[in-house]
Amino acid sequence: MTLDALDQLVAASFEGYTVRKDLAKTFKGQYPVPTYVGEFLLGRYCASTDEEEIREGLEVVQRMMNERTVRAGTQELFKARARERGSVKLIDLVTARLDAKTDAYLVELPSLQLKDVRISPELVQEHERMLTGGFYAELELEYDAVIAGEKSGRPFGVASLRPIQLSKRSALSEMAQGRSAFTTAQWKALLLRSVGFEPDTLSTRAQDVLLLRMVPFVERNYNAVELGPRGTGKSHLYQQVSPYSHLVSGGKASVARMFVNNASGQRGLVTQYDVVCFDEVSGVSFDQKDGVNIMKGYMESGEFSRGRESIRADGGVIMVGNFDVDVAHQQRIGHLFGPMPAEMRDDTALMDRIHAYLPGWDVPKLHAGLFTNHFGLVSDFLAECWHQLRFEGRWNRVAHRVRLGGALSGRDTTAVQRTLSGLLKLISPDEAAEIDDADLDWAVRLALEVRRRVKEQQKRIGSAEFRNTHFSYQLGEDGIEQFVTTPELQSDDAIGTDPLPPGQVWALGSSMTDEHAGLYRIDVNEGPGSGVRVLNNPVPRPFQESVRFAEQNLYAQALALVGERDPRQHEFSIQLRAFDSARSGSGLGLPALLALCSALLGKSLRGGLIAAGHLNLGGGIDPVHNAIDLAELAAEKRAAALLLPISARRQLNDLSDEVAAKLTVLYYTDARDALFKALLE
């Protein structure tokens, strides 16, 4: 393997905590242990860039895995070896319980099917996690023939054990120190390599989704859903990478197992693990009628009850599952929670407690080319750092820089803050490090998108309280309000209900020639300088004329339109995008003027609006001769409102009832009136 620049940087910054991920793949599926167990050993014996050292270390790891992991059908062989030799070394999941009858701790070793293995209280106190779900460990199992001869004797005992899990308290500070040598792009690439993916083979969108999958590991009580096509690795992270997560396969979910056993008082999975993931969620059902209600209560508050006792836990609830159809079809036939179990799919109260809906359809189906052969962080080191990050916060450090829009409810705000906090922890594990604006903007947009996807499904189900889904944000005191949509709701040739960024406007051409009305979008960027430049090459002559008339009206009516701002002190770059057969851009003077004013004011026009009308050099509005065609086209393109000159009002008396019911027509008398009605309030 050829080391690239990132490999060299990783090896230098995280000496002893790196492993070649292609080596880890060689053990996957060969042994009855999770991936992180093999990586732990690889990190101990193969944490080097020297090929000879790696080869020798690999032989050691291979030998240990062969000798110490218990394959199906070999458990009696291991027991016999313990009897003959006095002890045997093995790798297994170690869980312990207190047997009150004998006042002794007993260990369960599932691979040997032993449930009553002796262990000293000192070892249990040293490794208390074996009492709350257990962990994988290298252990020495001894056999005592004398005890075997006693009535109800327990001949097997744990002589010593070493957890296959990093427990160094300094892990996070070491990660933070190493992170300082990386750019954000390099660090994201390292995180992806550390969980097995090669970022160069993935789109930016797919990388973002994979990073979102990591958020539950660093954020307490984080609830998320990911549905999408089969074979995209939705459950991989929750099963193979971290000992702090637990995967619940589809089927009956026991309230006692998830939360608390009221009979015995035994605490459930959400108290034992950072993340509890329901795989194949469409097949999940609770054994009690109120199971979903108990889960809803826990997802809301992080608490559940056992009689009068209230129990607090930190475990997040993640649900993953598959679509049987593509996302576009799923939206046509229902909503994106459709594949959920019947008792959950239309429950808007449950949905409201979900902080993020990840777009699983944006991750490609897994194949060999997506997996990395380069260096990444050893999984147990990564998992330990993530676990420690759960007890830190990030929102309070950036709250003064982010202003969330008015469409967000209290639960929306909480969800966005948690996702944002999690993303910032992932890319900046040092709590004291400064977050730059580009990274903050990236995190805010993703956080708003994955929460808005939840809100859009609630709206589809028909609840009036979830009608306003126009999520937005501002960065800094003087930042422009930015609206965030979910990509699956967008269409290039249809008008969305979300406001466009400042300087953009949907427009309908209103030519006096035989050319049909056409849909356009005008995009304007403003900067220092002077004049107006059209970026289209070649520039359609009719559109050039529309822009010239808009420019002259802007200069002549500047005080009425944009106040104290002097448009002559700014340079405007204009681009016309045509979405129909009409491409001349004729009759677009008024929309072009709206786009120029919007860019200069830094304000968006109202969402779902489409504008039509032409100006003359004297500042007047030319009449529109095809108002019905314009209204019908606006309705076809799903516009919510059409901005037309008042002179077109009588023409629309003949508009069909169907179109009139779909479309709000806003009439304007002059350019200032048009701008006032077009601007977002």
Side-chain angles (χ1 to χ4, degrees), residues 132-387:
T132 58
F135 54 83
Y136 274 88
E138 300 172 276
L139 60 104
E140 184 179 0
L141 184 69
E142 62 182 7
Y143 182 89
D144 191 323
V146 175
I147 297 177
E150 298 175 358
K151 185 180 179 181
S152 303
R154 293 167 176 150
F156 291 101
V158 175
S160 64
L161 64 80
R162 177 160 60 170
I164 294 183
Q165 182 180 328
L166 192 74
S167 57
K168 287 179 64 175
R169 294 193 177 275
S170 63
L172 184 56
S173 61
E174 291 180 37
M175 173 182 269
Q177 184 178 347
R179 163 67 176 93
S180 61
F182 295 75
T183 65
T184 299
Q186 288 173 328
W187 185 252
K188 288 180 182 177
L190 175 58
L191 288 176
L192 293 170
R193 284 183 174 180
S194 297
V195 298
F197 292 98
E198 178 50 50
D200 292 343
T201 64
L202 296 164
S203 66
T204 302
R205 179 69 176 168
Q207 292 181 36
D208 286 346
V209 178
L210 292 174
L211 290 167
L212 281 164
R213 287 179 182 175
M214 302 175 191
V215 171
F217 291 89
V218 298
E219 196 68 20
R220 286 183 290 175
N221 298 107
Y222 188 81
N223 310 314
V225 165
E226 181 179 355
L227 302 176
R230 289 174 171 80
T232 57
K234 291 184 287 293
S235 61
H236 164 77
L237 198 62
Y238 308 108
Q239 186 175 30
Q240 297 292 341
V241 174
S242 173
Y244 290 106
S245 66
H246 184 83
L247 193 71
V248 179
S249 296
K252 281 281 183 187
S254 161
V255 170
R257 186 175 175 221
M258 275 292 295
F259 302 105
V260 64
N261 186 322
N262 281 331
S264 67
Q266 177 66 40
R267 305 293 169 92
L269 294 172
V270 293
T271 68
Q272 300 169 8
Y273 292 93
D274 291 351
V275 184
V276 179
C277 174
F278 288 98
D279 194 16
E280 303 290 352
V281 68
S282 59
V284 170
S285 62
F286 278 95
D287 61 342
Q288 297 179 20
K289 283 187 177 181
D290 62 345
V292 172
N293 289 330
I294 294 171
M295 188 165 75
K296 275 195 293 193
Y298 173 71
M299 291 168 72
E300 172 71 19
S301 64
E303 294 183 357
F304 52 90
S305 298
R306 177 181 177 246
R308 294 184 178 180
E309 180 189 8
S310 183
I311 301 170
R312 171 130 202 114
D314 293 334
V317 177
I318 311 299
M319 304 178 209
V320 300
N322 302 316
F323 280 147
D324 292 320
V325 294
D326 64 72
V327 65
H329 185 61
Q330 182 66 40
Q331 290 190 113
R332 284 195 297 272
I333 63 174
H335 55 80
L336 296 181
F337 282 100
M340 299 280 280
E343 61 266 37
M344 299 183 191
R345 70 171 62 110
D346 294 318
D347 189 339
T348 56
L350 175 73
M351 294 176 196
D352 222 21
R353 290 154 171 79
I354 293 170
H355 300 124
Y357 188 131
L358 278 59
W361 49 87
D362 285 331
V363 178
K365 285 184 177 292
L366 299 187
H367 56 82
L370 293 179
F371 299 115
T372 189
N373 294 323
H374 291 274
F375 279 88
L377 298 174
V378 177
S379 290
D380 66 294
F381 171 71
L382 185 69
E384 181 62 30
C385 292
W386 283 353
H387 176 69

Side-chain angles (χ1 to χ4, degrees), residues 78 147 169 175 261 296 430-431 493 503 515 543-544 656:
F78 273 79
I147 297 177
R169 294 193 177 275
M175 173 182 269
N261 186 322
K296 275 195 293 193
D430 184 356
E431 192 172 17
D493 62 348
E515 182 182 76
F543 182 60
Q544 184 77 63
S656 70

Side-chain angles (χ1 to χ4, degrees), residues 426-681:
L426 287 169
I427 64 171
S428 183
D430 184 356
E431 192 172 17
E434 190 64 33
I435 306 291
D436 65 37
D437 284 347
D439 291 343
L440 183 56
D441 186 74
W442 167 80
V444 174
R445 293 191 72 85
L446 273 182
L448 284 166
E449 180 203 316
V450 292
R451 174 58 186 181
R452 176 169 177 178
R453 187 170 288 110
V454 175
K455 205 74 174 282
E456 290 288 351
Q457 310 323 305
Q458 293 174 306
K459 184 169 77 170
R460 277 175 178 265
I461 291 171
S463 300
E465 62 186 295
F466 307 115
R467 190 179 299 126
N468 190 355
T469 60
H470 298 153
F471 284 12
S472 63
Y473 70 100
Q474 290 174 261
L475 286 188
E477 286 296 320
D478 303 319
I480 293 171
E481 187 174 20
Q482 305 275 351
F483 288 84
V484 177
T485 186
T486 58
E488 69 273 7
L489 294 178
Q490 289 181 304
S491 173
D492 253 358
D493 62 348
I495 314 301
T497 58
D498 288 278
L500 293 171
Q504 295 185 13
V505 62
W506 290 106
L508 292 175
S510 53
S511 172
M512 295 177 64
T513 66
D514 291 335
E515 182 182 76
H516 291 295
L519 176 66
Y520 301 92
R521 201 177 77 200
I522 300 172
D523 297 356
V524 173
N525 286 310
E526 167 271 328
S530 61
V532 175
R533 267 188 324 128
V534 181
L535 301 180
N536 297 72
N537 189 17
V539 183
R541 188 180 295 275
F543 182 60
Q544 184 77 63
E545 181 182 82
S546 295
V547 170
R548 184 168 63 88
F549 285 12
E551 179 183 10
Q552 294 305 316
N553 274 271
L554 176 61
Y555 294 155
Q557 303 182 59
L559 192 61
L561 294 171
V562 293
E564 298 299 320
R565 296 172 179 82
D566 184 359
R568 296 181 188 275
Q569 301 299 315
H570 299 261
E571 181 183 69
F572 299 92
S573 301
I574 298 184
Q575 185 171 24
L576 178 70
R577 296 183 63 191
F579 293 94
D580 288 314
S581 57
R583 298 187 175 276
S584 68
S586 62
L588 295 178
L590 189 279
L593 177 62
L594 295 179
L596 290 168
C597 293
S598 170
L600 190 57
L601 293 168
K603 292 183 178 180
S604 296
L605 303 184
R606 58 192 291 177
L609 177 75
I610 193 165
H614 195 40
L615 302 163
N616 55 50
L617 287 176
I621 307 294
D622 287 343
V624 169
H625 298 283
N626 56 343
I628 288 182
D629 287 346
L630 295 176
E632 289 175 345
L633 182 57
E636 179 188 327
K637 299 301 182 181
R638 299 200 291 248
L642 172 62
L643 192 64
L644 278 179
I646 189 67
S647 59
R649 183 171 59 86
R650 288 180 183 173
Q651 294 180 52
L652 294 187
N653 287 336
D654 297 326
L655 190 64
S656 70
D657 292 346
E658 181 185 0
V659 174
K662 291 180 180 177
L663 194 66
T664 299
V665 180
L666 304 173
Y667 296 108
Y668 60 88
T669 55
D670 55 27
R672 185 176 184 278
D673 187 37
L675 179 63
F676 177 77
K677 288 174 176 172
L679 281 173
L680 184 66
E681 295 177 0

